[in-house]
Amino acid sequence: LSNVAGPIDVLRIAQRIAERRDPKVGKLFDADVFAVGPQQSPCCSAGLHLTRIGGPRNDIDVLLIPGMMHSSPSQLIERVDAMAEERALIVDMHRRGVRVAAACSGTFLLASTGLLDARRATTSWWLAHAFARAFPRVNLEADAMVIDEGSVLTTGGATAVLNLILKLVGETAGESVAQMTARMLNVDAERQSQAPYV
């Protein structure tokens, strides 16, 4: 749930900060939540259900794959193996020029598409060994908080997604908006490594 709600909150706050600085700035950030496949109302970790509001729009700049709750790395891999429709959507959107980002355990789904092969990536530090075994063609940097490989981006554990979103805010609205957003949310935007959490 935090990988869905957190990024939306960051984008909404960044939009308001940008508008306060320049009332004529227009819409810089928007977020949609959608699901693919038969799951009309995805269940989040706390038992809360997200209501599906159609499929993906055609004007998406970045597709964010959230982390998935699981009880073990093997259960996570089983879940990812069953996500054929999700993999097809990710590959199709990437081919159309959409940047694809994956947070925490969502990096397993992105890696399963082959889009991370021969690229640098990170994942949640405690899943690093399972990730390396499952995806040996990916250049895993398990200590990294965020890795940007251009068209694909990955993050470490759960709240690292906030650092990714702040990075994207900086690219779009400028570093000062990203820094003010980070301060408003008490997020350490300078975190570069997961090593202190291991």
Side-chain angles (χ1 to χ4, degrees), residues 79-152:
R79 286 188 67 194
V80 165
D81 286 345
M83 295 180 160
E85 287 183 74
E86 289 86 346
R87 275 194 301 279
L89 175 78
I90 292 164
V91 169
D92 180 60
M93 292 185 91
H94 185 263
R95 282 188 186 135
R96 289 190 282 140
V98 175
R99 291 174 86 185
V100 180
C104 193
S105 58
T107 57
F108 280 67
L109 179 55
L110 179 55
S112 74
T113 67
L115 294 175
L116 293 178
D117 288 357
R119 296 181 194 241
R120 296 166 45 244
T122 190
T123 191
S124 183
W125 65 265
W126 74 274
L127 293 169
H129 293 297
F131 186 96
R133 281 194 309 273
F135 307 108
R137 298 188 65 195
V138 178
N139 299 322
L140 181 64
E141 294 182 15
D143 283 350
M145 192 68 70
V146 174
I147 292 188
D148 181 350
E149 284 284 275
S151 64
V152 290

Side-chain angles (χ1 to χ4, degrees), residues 127-189:
L127 293 169
H129 293 297
F131 186 96
R133 281 194 309 273
F135 307 108
R137 298 188 65 195
V138 178
N139 299 322
L140 181 64
E141 294 182 15
D143 283 350
M145 192 68 70
V146 174
I147 292 188
D148 181 350
E149 284 284 275
S151 64
V152 290
L153 304 98
T154 53
T155 78
T159 63
V161 71
L162 301 179
N163 293 79
L164 168 67
I165 300 302
L166 288 167
K167 175 185 176 6
L168 297 174
V169 166
E171 290 176 5
T172 303
E175 279 306 310
S176 64
V177 171
Q179 289 171 4
M180 179 57 78
T181 304
R183 285 198 300 272
M184 293 285 293
L185 293 168
N186 290 343
V187 175
D188 180 1

